[in-house]
Amino acid sequence: MTLPTLLPAETASAVTDAYARLAEVFPGLRAEVLTDGETAPGGVGWVGAHELAAGGGALDTFLAWDNAQVLRDYGQQARPDVVASFGLHRYAWPACLLVTVPWFLHRRVPRIPVQDVSFQRALGHLTLRVREFACLPDDPAAALPGARVVADEAALRAEVLASVAEHLGPVLDGFGPRMRRGKRALWGMATDEIVEGLWYIAHLLGEERRAMTELEALLPGTTKPYVGTAGFRELTGPDGESLPTRDRASCCLFYTLRPEDTCVTCPRTCDADRLRKLTATT
């Protein structure tokens, strides 16, 4: 494991290097760790995760963006539950990366309760406070304030799932009444956001296969409240090549707008269509 260079605790967080690497490979998303003296940003376009969890006017404003996007791009009105599903995905996908990217790159798992995260979706900008993080015994960051040492890789995987659940649980409660889905379906969506977010970023990092292996260990299918496994499997391409895919635990409902254009990992997409989409991308 390659460890990042540690800066003094007062000028850097244990996860700063991981977020810098994320921004390098995916410039559309920037995660900024706030210091103790910094105030979380506010104003037009900003929303606190705790506001989304509350399910009130801030969530209405957040979802208005998704509703306008559907009307603009597809020329039709989506059902309210479809709009809410799109909005949840567009928040949860980057939010999960706040936890999974530091874990994947440096074996550090921050705790990010909803009161400590803000999001500006138009800018792809997240801010957060990291008051506590888990790490392994041999990590130099174990000496930093807020470090909590865990015994081994299995314990660290448990920290990943606990941190995401602590953050997304209240957010799912906020979105839930608008989505016409039960708890199991909502946590299936959370499972998909964890897997597909890190899988995509790892591909950009050139570490797709390692991410698949680690995600399979992270989500074996027996950890509540999550639903389903990482879901990876292999298809054989026209030239005998191996093409990785996965089966989502949930559906994003995009088919309600374009029935003929389902996602490549959608449960509704047959393997023949998956192969066609994957080979066209390649």
Side-chain angles (χ1 to χ4, degrees), residues 39 48 80 89 139 150 170 193 195 198 200 207 213 217 223 257 267 270 273 279-280:
T39 302
H89 163 67
D139 188 339
V150 299
E193 303 301 353
V195 176
L198 184 60
Y200 179 76
E207 296 195 73
T213 299
T223 308
L257 298 175
C270 68
D273 286 342
T279 52

Side-chain angles (χ1 to χ4, degrees), residues 109-173:
V109 180
R111 285 294 180 125
I112 52 166
V114 290
Q115 64 266 25
D116 287 341
V117 178
S118 297
F119 184 40
Q120 219 289 7
R121 65 188 305 168
L123 301 177
H125 188 181
L126 289 150
T127 67
L128 67 155
R129 298 189 191 281
V130 178
R131 307 175 195 272
E132 178 186 342
F133 67 96
C135 64
L136 295 172
D138 62 348
D139 188 339
L144 291 177
R148 186 163 48 81
V149 177
V150 299
D152 53 25
E153 292 281 0
L156 203 61
R157 288 194 292 270
E159 289 290 331
V160 173
L161 297 179
S163 179
V164 173
E166 178 186 33
H167 184 83
L168 279 191
V171 175
L172 295 179
D173 289 341

Side-chain angles (χ1 to χ4, degrees), residues 7 14 36 96 154 177 182 210 238 243:
L7 298 177
D36 289 342
C96 287
R210 179 167 80 87
L243 298 172

Side-chain angles (χ1 to χ4, degrees), residues 71-122:
L71 288 169
R72 181 183 67 248
D73 292 352
Y74 303 110
Q76 63 186 96
Q77 179 66 62
R79 298 186 329 228
D81 61 309
V82 174
V83 171
S85 294
F86 288 2
L88 176 60
H89 163 67
R90 288 162 175 164
Y91 176 75
W93 193 92
C96 287
L97 292 174
L98 296 178
V99 177
T100 59
V101 168
W103 166 66
F104 184 69
L105 291 179
H106 303 309
R107 289 303 191 255
R108 297 169 186 173
V109 180
R111 285 294 180 125
I112 52 166
V114 290
Q115 64 266 25
D116 287 341
V117 178
S118 297
F119 184 40
Q120 219 289 7
R121 65 188 305 168

Side-chain angles (χ1 to χ4, degrees), residues 25-276:
V25 298
F26 189 54
L29 182 64
R30 180 164 64 99
E32 178 186 359
V33 180
L34 301 176
T35 64
D36 289 342
E38 290 183 281
T39 302
V44 177
W46 282 98
V47 65
H50 67 285
E51 295 178 287
L52 298 179
L59 181 55
D60 291 335
T61 300
F62 187 81
L63 293 178
W65 189 98
D66 297 280
N67 190 61
Q69 178 266 321
V70 169
L71 288 169
R72 181 183 67 248
D73 292 352
Y74 303 110
Q76 63 186 96
Q77 179 66 62
R79 298 186 329 228
D81 61 309
V82 174
V83 171
S85 294
F86 288 2
L88 176 60
H89 163 67
R90 288 162 175 164
Y91 176 75
W93 193 92
C96 287
L97 292 174
L98 296 178
V99 177
T100 59
V101 168
W103 166 66
F104 184 69
L105 291 179
H106 303 309
R107 289 303 191 255
R108 297 169 186 173
V109 180
R111 285 294 180 125
I112 52 166
V114 290
Q115 64 266 25
D116 287 341
V117 178
S118 297
F119 184 40
Q120 219 289 7
R121 65 188 305 168
L123 301 177
H125 188 181
L126 289 150
T127 67
L128 67 155
R129 298 189 191 281
V130 178
R131 307 175 195 272
E132 178 186 342
F133 67 96
C135 64
L136 295 172
D138 62 348
D139 188 339
L144 291 177
R148 186 163 48 81
V149 177
V150 299
D152 53 25
E153 292 281 0
L156 203 61
R157 288 194 292 270
E159 289 290 331
V160 173
L161 297 179
S163 179
V164 173
E166 178 186 33
H167 184 83
L168 279 191
V171 175
L172 295 179
D173 289 341
F175 276 84
R178 302 164 190 257
M179 294 180 60
R180 302 198 309 185
R181 302 196 195 195
K183 283 282 188 181
R184 180 177 174 82
L186 291 172
W187 281 103
M189 292 186 70
T191 302
D192 288 330
E193 303 301 353
I194 291 173
V195 176
E196 299 210 342
L198 184 60
W199 186 28
Y200 179 76
I201 296 301
H203 170 74
L204 300 179
L205 290 164
E207 296 195 73
E208 179 180 14
R209 290 292 176 173
R210 179 167 80 87
M212 292 168 65
T213 299
E214 301 226 9
L215 286 164
E216 286 173 334
L218 180 70
L219 290 160
T222 56
T223 308
K224 302 298 183 181
Y226 300 97
V227 175
T229 67
F232 291 114
R233 58 190 179 91
E234 303 285 334
L235 299 177
T236 301
D239 298 319
E241 71 274 30
S242 179
L243 298 172
T245 188
R246 70 175 297 262
D247 296 311
R248 290 177 56 90
S250 67
C251 179
C252 71
L253 303 182
F254 182 70
Y255 78 91
T256 62
L257 298 175
R258 291 291 185 271
E260 72 286 354
D261 190 20
T262 56
C263 306
V264 71
T265 58
C266 178
R268 294 171 173 268
T269 305
C270 68
D271 283 356
D273 286 342
R274 292 184 188 219
L275 283 170
R276 178 176 53 81

